[in-house]
Amino acid sequence: MSTTNTTGKINVQTDNIFPIIKKFLYSDNEIFVRELVSNAVDATKKLKALGSMGEFKGEIGETRIEIELNKDAKTLTIKDRGLGMTAEEVDKYINQIAFSGAEEFVQKYKDKAPETNLIGHFGLGFYSGFMVASKVEIETLSFRDGAKAVRWECDGSPNFTISEIEKAERGTNIILHIADDSLEFLEQSKIQQLLDKYCKFLPVEIQFGIKKEYVKAEGEEESKEVEVANIINNPEPAWTKKPADLKDEDYANFYRELYPMNFDEPLFNIHLNVDYPFNLTGILYFPKLKKTPEIQKNKIQLYSNQVFVSDNVEGIVPDFLMLLQGVLDSPDIPLNVSRSYLQSDNNVKKISNHITKKVADKLEEIFKKDRVEFERTFEDIKVFIEYGMISEEKFYDKVSKFALYKTTENVSYTFDELVEKIKPAQTDKDDKLVILYTNNANEQYSYIQSAKAHGYETIVLDSQLTPHLIQNLEGKNDKTQFVRVDSDTIDNLIKKSIELVDKLTDTEREDVKKLTEELVNVTTFKVEVKPMHTTDAPIVITQSEFMRRMKEASVMGGGMSFYGSMPDNYNLVVNANNSVIEKILKEGDPSTRKEMMQNAIDLAKLTQNLLKGEELSQFVNRTLSKI
Ligand code: ADP
Ligand code: MG
């Protein structure tokens, strides 16, 4: 193409591509910023590469990319000092290649419902400018010796013009004439926000106008306002550096750079750095987790060669790792594909496994290096670890060796240590190991105390994931059962072969049973009188582990709704060997006897938090009248 002034028609099959681009990409139109700025970055990097290969012998000089907003002229300009294009190259790369790419993209997706995050993932490049511009101009001067500068113009129809122009500086200016329906892109704050989002870590310095800063010069009293270049990006973010070159402080600083609005400190981090068989870099941070999963604000950000892609890494990292924060950068993650395709992609699978392994390795490293530190940290990441253990087999295999279980006495054991510790006392007559747990040490206090009196340990499992975790651990460990400490009387929790002697005669037992049944609602409370240790409470109320698990499962959904609609049922066990019962039996006056029994029952209900409303107030009044 040697003419100085050419008009032409882009060879189109799709009659007019631009309205389609515009309509289709509407919700994601802001990505034009990323596309055009990353083209400027590419052009700069290519020039540097040509320089180092000796194909470009000139001076590279300043390469800062500049973004200029002109509200009066309604233009947004992206200027680079990269390799530029000749007229032939404009024709080839813009009229033909870029256009066919855009056309292919539209052909492929025009009949599909826009899938969020699909469009944002590249594929449209240069032509994305037409989402917000009624006219796009390119002014460019190639680095090649004797090259002539050219201007390409296109108003969104398939017609374009190319003309020769005067341009002294090497490189390319992309001038967007912002369309009337996209005037928001003429706002300084909007562009600043988009540059922050998409361009923050691009590898070539980017300037967006100037900003005011207050500086105090030496020897002066007051700080003065000065104008400095408004630099958008950090071209060398921490994750692109070698782990050996970074200190703890650098990781902490990068965290703040990444999430400026976040004031928590992360617990620790993992620096990923792989180039074979896939390319992956990044830094993941472990945040302190709350007991209940909260809405996550500081999500993992996904980059491709330092270009921001998305803050949704669903399908790329396992679900439980989405609780982490930080950055992943991989050019090997396919971008313009759906989430379901992502999960079946081989590279993505490998990347996901690699990250899981690295996370488990890091945890093991801390565990081995400093047990005390690990125990302290564990509390803050417990939810995450439990989530990982129940959802990822491979993670379970590694982490189950050092995941910690804390007793009500505040001692932390690994699972193996715990088993070792409790085996002698808590193995039942069928050789099954019974692990007692509480999900609320406060509410189940009296049960924990009586377990303790029998020499049993109770561990605290109090997260939302506890029911799943327990099922998982029972599935993986033969002859092991988790039983909540208040789910039965002590002798039944861990059945031993010793028979307890019953102090009561058959008639006495019948009497106690009848008396008790008169005083409780027998559809809710199944009454039983049996011998327990004299030190056990006179009356114990329990709810069976099975029943409670079914009810819990029905609350969490799944086909258990039948259990959810069942009324609560409890066992009310009278301890035939407790001296209080003996005393009640000895009482001659029937009404006093009844009152004594009522008090014993109410006290048992109180310890299970079951004494409420009218019953509670009657109990209070009765007790007060005795003072
Ligand atoms: P891609 O970047 O994926 O190649 P684009 O549609 O973004 O696709 O750009 C098409 C081509 O146009 C680029 O490959 C490049 O050759 C050329 N190009 C676009 N912007 C510039 C620029 N600022 N400087 C030099 N060449 C550019
Ligand atoms: Mg591009």
Side-chain angles (χ1 to χ4, degrees):
M1 209 186 280
S2 54
T3 23
T4 50
N5 213 328
T6 317
T7 57
K9 201 167 179 242
I10 299 166
N11 178 18
V12 222
Q13 266 103 53
T14 319
D15 214 21
N16 199 344
I17 189 175
F18 302 114
I20 302 178
I21 289 181
K22 208 160 180 164
K23 190 172 145 228
F24 184 73
L25 298 173
Y26 194 73
S27 64
D28 237 352
N29 60 357
E30 62 182 44
I31 56 115
F32 79 90
V33 171
R34 175 189 66 195
E35 293 303 318
L36 298 179
V37 179
S38 57
N39 279 352
V41 167
D42 289 346
T44 311
K45 283 186 2 191
K46 281 178 198 163
L47 182 76
K48 286 180 181 165
L50 289 171
S52 63
M53 289 185 301
E55 282 193 37
F56 169 61
K57 296 196 176 65
E59 183 91 15
I60 288 189
E62 175 65 70
T63 57
R64 187 186 285 178
I65 292 164
E66 284 177 70
I67 318 290
E68 284 172 8
L69 198 54
N70 185 335
K71 235 176 153 164
D72 297 330
K74 293 192 182 174
T75 57
L76 178 67
T77 303
I78 295 122
K79 287 187 176 172
D80 68 60
R81 283 114 156 174
L83 84 176
M85 286 180 276
T86 61
E88 285 77 13
E89 285 165 338
V90 170
D91 188 49
K92 184 171 165 198
Y93 296 128
I94 302 295
N95 292 342
Q96 295 168 33
I97 297 178
F99 187 78
S100 65
E103 191 181 29
E104 189 189 331
F105 183 82
V106 169
Q107 289 289 4
K108 200 162 154 195
Y109 295 115
K110 69 176 174 187
D111 300 326
K112 291 189 188 158
E115 188 175 330
T116 38
N117 265 311
L118 170 70
I119 308 141
H121 292 166
F122 303 74
L124 201 57
F126 171 75
Y127 278 91
S128 64
F130 285 98
M131 292 190 288
V132 300
S134 54
K135 183 165 104 178
V136 177
E137 286 177 71
I138 302 174
E139 297 172 344
T140 182
L141 174 63
S142 165
F143 74 99
R144 288 174 208 285
D145 287 338
K148 289 192 172 112
V150 289
R151 170 184 291 122
W152 175 93
E153 270 178 70
C154 179
D155 65 359
S157 73
N159 304 308
F160 66 87
T161 62
I162 290 187
S163 51
E164 247 175 47
I165 53 161
E166 287 299 315
K167 185 179 188 299
E169 258 194 323
R170 176 202 69 218
T172 304
N173 306 334
I174 306 288
I175 304 155
L176 302 177
H177 295 263
I178 300 297
D180 285 341
D181 62 0
S182 301
L183 295 178
E184 58 187 299
F185 297 107
L186 288 175
E187 296 303 325
Q188 169 95 16
S189 59
K190 179 77 182 176
I191 298 302
Q192 176 77 40
Q193 176 213 331
L194 295 177
L195 291 169
D196 280 340
K197 176 171 174 186
Y198 291 110
C199 305
K200 207 168 161 183
F201 300 114
L202 283 175
V204 178
E205 196 169 59
I206 300 161
Q207 178 182 355
F208 179 40
I210 46 151
K211 65 177 176 187
K212 294 192 170 97
E213 246 174 31
Y214 290 89
V215 285
K216 209 155 125 182
E218 233 176 284
E220 269 178 55
E221 285 285 292
E222 274 169 37
S223 50
K224 260 203 311 219
E225 191 184 283
V226 291
E227 287 184 340
V228 294
N230 177 25
I231 302 297
I232 294 300
N233 59 330
N234 170 4
E236 285 183 7
W239 86 82
T240 62
K241 297 179 182 166
K242 284 201 208 81
D245 295 342
L246 296 168
K247 298 193 192 70
D248 288 352
E249 193 190 317
D250 299 316
Y251 288 107
N253 288 340
F254 180 61
Y255 185 78
R256 275 189 288 275
E257 204 180 329
L258 203 53
Y259 307 116
M261 297 316 217
N262 183 51
F263 301 106
D264 290 335
E265 292 285 324
L267 294 167
F268 47 89
N269 63 69
I270 298 172
H271 195 145
L272 302 160
N273 198 345
V274 196
D275 38 45
Y276 185 82
F278 48 83
N279 197 302
L280 172 73
T281 52
I283 299 173
L284 293 176
Y285 292 92
F286 282 72
K288 268 191 185 160
L289 297 174
K290 314 270 158 32
K291 264 196 189 118
T292 42
E294 47 181 340
I295 299 162
Q296 233 202 320
K297 289 170 298 208
N298 304 303
K299 295 196 264 183
I300 297 178
Q301 299 178 1
L302 179 65
Y303 288 75
S304 177
N305 289 326
Q306 294 175 243
V307 184
F308 176 84
V309 176
S310 167
D311 62 3
N312 179 3
V313 291
E314 202 185 324
I316 295 161
V317 303
D319 279 353
F320 78 99
L321 290 177
M322 302 228 282
L323 297 170
L324 297 184
Q325 301 172 341
V327 166
L328 293 176
D329 187 335
S330 176
D332 291 329
I333 295 171
L335 296 174
N336 46 354
V337 298
S338 68
R339 292 285 154 191
S340 52
Y341 178 84
L342 259 188
Q343 271 151 342
S344 63
D345 183 85
N346 248 331
N347 265 335
V348 172
K349 270 191 216 157
K350 280 185 213 150
I351 288 174
S352 165
N353 287 340
H354 177 80
I355 296 170
T356 306
K357 184 177 171 297
K358 281 285 167 191
V359 169
D361 288 349
K362 179 75 188 188
L363 292 168
E364 186 174 21
E365 181 194 312
I366 303 174
F367 171 74
K368 285 188 171 154
K369 205 164 72 189
D370 188 347
R371 172 80 179 237
V372 179
E373 167 72 16
F374 185 75
E375 286 185 10
R376 198 169 337 121
T377 314
F378 195 80
E379 279 306 295
D380 294 318
I381 54 171
K382 203 169 74 177
V383 184
F384 154 83
I385 293 192
E386 289 177 351
Y387 187 11
M389 283 172 73
I390 59 185
S391 59
E392 288 285 322
E393 195 77 13
K394 284 199 183 104
F395 190 72
Y396 179 95
D397 291 343
K398 291 202 128 203
V399 169
S400 58
K401 296 188 192 83
F402 51 83
L404 297 178
Y405 303 87
K406 200 183 218 169
T407 70
T408 52
E409 309 283 301
N410 253 330
V411 186
S412 291
Y413 296 110
T414 65
F415 193 76
D416 290 345
E417 289 165 356
L418 180 72
V419 170
E420 209 49 43
K421 176 89 202 318
I422 68 175
K423 217 161 147 186
Q426 293 178 223
T427 305
D428 74 2
K429 62 179 169 47
D430 301 319
D431 210 28
K432 191 175 68 198
L433 181 73
V434 180
I435 300 176
L436 301 179
Y437 73 97
T438 173
N439 68 335
N440 189 329
N442 217 1
E443 277 179 14
Q444 291 146 19
Y445 181 81
S446 64
Y447 298 86
I448 295 165
Q449 288 310 304
S450 62
K452 195 175 155 191
H454 286 81
Y456 302 158
E457 298 271 4
T458 304
I459 59 167
V460 182
L461 293 174
D462 56 0
S463 82
Q464 285 186 347
L465 298 170
T466 298
H468 298 283
L469 180 67
I470 287 172
Q471 290 237 300
N472 215 277
L473 288 165
E474 285 177 347
K476 309 253 187 216
N477 295 284
D478 244 15
K479 295 207 133 211
T480 302
Q481 199 191 355
F482 283 77
V483 183
R484 204 166 93 179
V485 70
D486 62 343
S487 64
D488 213 328
T489 54
I490 284 291
D491 56 320
N492 273 340
L493 285 177
I494 305 173
K495 284 209 178 79
K496 302 280 180 169
S497 32
I498 345 142
E499 282 286 321
L500 282 165
V501 205
D502 195 337
K503 287 185 184 166
L504 303 184
T505 64
D506 288 354
T507 17
E508 282 173 331
R509 208 177 300 120
E510 261 319 294
D511 281 356
V512 174
K513 190 166 188 219
K514 246 166 74 194
L515 178 62
T516 314
E517 283 178 338
E518 273 170 41
L519 297 170
V520 295
N521 177 349
V522 288
T523 51
T524 309
F525 295 96
K526 190 171 158 283
V527 176
E528 188 191 355
V529 183
K530 68 170 193 188
M532 293 191 272
H533 289 275
T534 49
T535 51
D536 292 337
I539 295 179
V540 181
I541 295 173
T542 63
Q543 186 176 35
S544 90
E545 179 75 19
F546 174 77
M547 197 63 198
R548 206 198 54 252
R549 281 198 199 184
M550 290 306 150
K551 277 188 143 316
E552 280 166 358
S554 77
V555 172
M556 284 185 278
M560 297 285 184
S561 54
F562 162 74
Y563 287 97
S565 60
M566 298 260 293
D568 270 311
N569 278 299
Y570 299 91
N571 296 317
L572 189 152
V573 188
V574 182
N575 181 0
N577 290 346
N578 186 288
S579 58
V580 170
I581 302 302
E582 204 178 339
K583 218 160 131 191
I584 293 173
L585 269 172
K586 279 195 191 132
E587 174 58 48
D589 176 44
S591 82
T592 311
R593 192 187 200 197
K594 208 164 158 177
E595 195 183 319
M596 287 166 81
M597 194 57 168
Q598 184 71 63
N599 282 341
I601 292 169
D602 286 353
L603 287 166
K605 283 186 180 173
L606 260 185
T607 60
Q608 257 293 29
N609 210 7
L610 291 170
L611 195 66
K612 297 200 170 123
E614 198 186 347
E615 283 186 343
L616 178 60
S617 123
Q618 280 173 356
F619 172 74
V620 170
N621 290 334
R622 218 168 45 236
T623 311
L624 283 174
S625 69
K626 292 276 148 59
I627 297 175

